[in-house]
Amino acid sequence: NSGNNIFVYYLFRTVGTVSHPSNNALQATTGNFTGAVTANSGVTVDNITIDGNDISSTNSDGDILFKGNDGGSTITALTLDMSDAGTATFNNNVGVGASPNNHGGMNRVLEVSASTDVQLALHATSDSIADGNRIGEVAFLAGSDSTLPIVASIVGRVNGTSENQGQLTFHTRHTDTGGSPAERLRINEQGMFMLNGTNEIARLVISQDTQALNMCFLQNTNSTTGGNYFVFGNSGGSTAGTINQN
């Protein structure tokens, strides 16, 4: 002990210094330490300060890395990017409520688990979202190039201006020249389906911009033709008419 400093020795070699300045915070400025350090007003190791439940870095824009040992190899499990407001990058899969599993042969990068009634929420908190504007989107991208465009997406939208009604739109793209995926299907706030259009004139509306495609094609791939292509019912639930299979 020399003044406010405590020198830590191991086999006659100084491995670190723990200082005790006037602010009652212990500071370990050099070396590696094993064991517990207790202080009334926080512990600072290099640029990291632990004070109560707070962990902070004094290094401007310095990332915080959580590392471990995986079978003898050092890994960085989590990186907090302080130059980007704390953006978190996990090295591997993330499980909320349980560890992700790969049942079905797919790599589950993110899995949210609970015993029942599990919900994954996308919440836009603004009270002034314009009619038709996007609330949230699930986007699908392919390849390792970060500049690749979205190839498909599912978008939740506001209907009206009260933030109480919503629509779902489904988008895909079929070109390699860039651009955003085109809307292919819309389910409006009343449950009406619109394929390749937005004309809300019936429960199901199919639109197309080319004469080369059939508007609708129904095929029974089974040799048995006991059913109907269409069955029309009345308000009482009885059959009012049919379109039979040949």
Side-chain angles (χ1 to χ4, degrees), residues 186 188-194 200-205:
R186 176 179 294 245
N188 75 356
E189 71 284 355
Q190 300 178 52
M192 300 168 67
F193 284 73
M194 286 143 283
E200 300 179 352
I201 58 174
R203 286 294 179 185
L204 173 62
V205 179

Side-chain angles (χ1 to χ4, degrees), residues 13 16 33 39 49 53 72 75 80 92 94 97 105 145 150 152 154 160 167 172 188 208 212-213 217 231 234 238 245:
R13 180 169 60 89
F33 297 89
T49 297
N53 293 325
I75 62 167
L80 302 180
N92 210 331
V94 177
D145 187 351
I150 299 173
I154 303 172
Q167 301 183 348
T172 61
N188 75 356
Q208 70 173 16
L213 296 175
F217 179 74
V231 177
N234 57 30
S238 300
Q245 300 182 39

Side-chain angles (χ1 to χ4, degrees), residues 69 73 124:
N69 189 303
S73 300

